[in-house]
Amino acid sequence: MSKSELRKKLSGIAVSLPTFNDENYNLQIEKTKSHISWLLDNGISRDNSVLFIAGGLGEGYFLDDFEWESLANALVEAVDGRLSTGVGIFELSARKAAKKAAYASNLGMDFIQCAPPRYLQPTEDEIFGHYQYVSDNADIGIMGYNTPWAMPTGYTFSQRLIERFLELENFVGLKWNTIPAQHHINMIRLFADNLSFISNGNIMSTGFRAGAIGFSDFIANVAPRLSLHRLKLIREKSFNEFDELDLNMNIDPPLKSSDSGDAFDTGMGEGPGGRLILKSLGMNTGPHFPSQLILPEEAVKLQDRIVQASGILEWVDWSDNIFEQ
């Protein structure tokens, strides 16, 4: 498939799938397959979404290799060619990242979500070299993942580095969130004709107005109608309506539900917060992997207040009873 064709496929809702596991951290693959089938039955399709497994929400960075492979296999089996798929890769070693990318390619996946290497602060040449090695050794679309919050000095992809990414045969998109806001917008404006920008934690509709063509999302796991509605507003360029929805559902509820002293450490992974949010919306995925922090009871109560204030429950169609069907 050509680079331009892959770019077109990398658009819409990049659904970040959760990892289901029991109290002993054993993966529950059948639950994963059932959940994916439910998503496809509830509007998630080739025209509007790409399903990503073992990403941030799925705690891909805490998985053993055989667990990572099991999840990738489960996604491909459950989808059965009906829409595009991808898998997260978080590796310091370019060789290991390339092996995982080749595994995903051999399964028939379309994309990898590939984070930059990190331990000590990498140079731009080393970051580019990481992606170049993966691109040269695996025939699969690469969505780079800009992660300044996880880099040793808060480094964010520069304009020069993104220009170099365009040289890579398989580099087709960026999962994009960065500061300052001006850099966030500038890079989309400069490169949206050559890369698919998938907004990650979008600042209302700003990135979409600038040219981003999709968004990373995990609320679709329980409320696909809501995610599809947001995508419809973006594609229709109904940005004012999108912003009003974002204010009422995602911005004002946390502000108005929190006290000035409410501040909870997010820790080293997305598992605790992501699983808490999904649980508050009716999806129990099991305990997060060790040794991520355990959120205090006050955080649980705050999340419940946010859910009640947001009105999101009107959009939630998921119930864990689906696993019993």
Side-chain angles (χ1 to χ4, degrees):
M1 186 173 294
S2 71
K3 192 171 184 177
S4 61
E5 288 174 323
L6 273 174
R7 282 187 52 236
K8 290 177 182 177
K9 292 177 74 171
L10 185 58
S11 65
I13 310 165
V15 183
S16 184
L17 297 167
T19 295
F20 294 93
N21 51 267
D22 64 21
E23 295 298 318
N24 295 315
Y25 312 111
N26 299 304
L27 299 191
Q28 297 176 307
I29 296 299
E30 292 308 313
K31 282 190 174 182
T32 294
K33 293 179 182 178
S34 295
H35 172 239
I36 292 168
S37 295
W38 179 85
L39 288 173
L40 271 64
D41 289 341
N42 282 268
I44 298 301
S45 72
R46 185 184 302 277
D47 295 331
N48 55 50
S49 302
V50 181
L51 296 186
F52 282 92
I53 206 159
L57 175 74
E59 296 166 273
Y61 30 79
F62 293 112
L63 297 170
D64 291 335
D65 287 352
F66 78 91
E67 292 173 329
W68 182 92
E69 291 177 3
S70 295
L71 288 173
N73 293 344
L75 175 56
V76 171
E77 182 179 336
V79 166
D80 192 26
R82 289 175 285 178
L83 78 164
S84 299
T85 58
V87 63
I89 295 180
F90 307 85
E91 299 293 343
L92 178 62
S93 164
R95 292 181 303 146
K96 189 169 184 180
K99 286 179 181 178
K100 283 189 169 183
Y103 185 92
S105 176
N106 289 336
L107 280 180
M109 284 187 160
D110 303 279
F111 305 105
I112 59 169
Q113 172 189 296
C114 190
R118 56 185 183 270
Y119 168 56
L120 301 180
Q121 176 67 51
T123 67
E124 285 204 342
D125 284 342
E126 289 171 325
I127 295 172
F128 177 77
H130 186 86
Y131 286 104
Q132 183 179 43
Y133 190 91
V134 173
S135 181
D136 288 347
N137 288 278
D139 186 18
I140 193 168
I142 300 172
M143 179 175 72
Y145 189 9
N146 191 51
T147 57
W149 56 88
M151 298 295 277
T153 60
Y155 169 80
T156 192
F157 293 161
S158 70
Q159 178 178 338
R160 174 58 187 143
L161 181 59
I162 297 174
E163 287 173 347
R164 296 178 71 187
F165 286 155
L166 300 181
E167 303 168 14
L168 303 180
E169 181 179 356
N170 294 312
F171 201 103
V172 296
L174 277 171
K175 184 175 177 181
W176 186 242
N177 185 0
T178 191
I179 52 175
Q182 190 64 52
H183 183 63
H184 179 90
I185 299 302
N186 286 352
M187 295 306 97
I188 298 175
R189 292 291 292 169
L190 281 172
F191 299 111
D193 289 339
N194 303 106
L195 291 171
S196 296
F197 279 86
I198 303 300
S199 182
N200 182 34
N202 44 280
I203 309 169
M204 300 176 68
S205 64
T206 307
F208 307 117
R209 293 175 190 260
I213 60 172
F215 56 93
S216 179
D217 180 59
F218 70 91
I219 296 301
N221 287 298
V222 293
R225 283 189 298 117
L226 175 58
S227 299
L228 291 167
H229 178 63
R230 294 176 72 229
L231 178 63
K232 180 174 180 287
L233 294 178
I234 292 166
R235 288 180 168 176
E236 292 176 347
K237 300 188 184 302
S238 300
F239 297 129
N240 291 339
E241 188 176 346
F242 181 94
D243 288 344
E244 187 67 23
L245 179 66
D246 223 22
L247 278 171
N248 292 336
M249 188 166 290
N250 298 321
I251 295 176
D252 285 344
L255 287 174
K256 296 178 179 179
S257 301
S258 305
D259 296 327
S260 58
D262 286 338
F264 302 107
D265 191 0
T266 56
M268 65 176 178
E270 297 169 53
R275 290 182 191 255
L276 171 61
I277 294 172
L278 289 178
K279 190 172 183 179
S280 72
L281 299 175
M283 174 178 280
N284 185 4
T285 60
H288 60 262
F289 295 122
S291 61
Q292 298 172 89
L293 64 81
I294 298 174
L295 291 170
E297 184 62 28
E298 290 79 3
V300 177
K301 292 178 180 178
L302 173 59
Q303 177 58 31
D304 287 340
R305 293 199 299 272
I306 291 172
V307 165
Q308 293 301 320
S310 69
I312 191 173
L313 291 176
E314 297 178 10
W315 294 88
V316 171
D317 294 319
W318 174 263
S319 167
D320 280 354
N321 292 333
I322 290 166
F323 289 138
E324 301 172 6
Q325 297 176 5

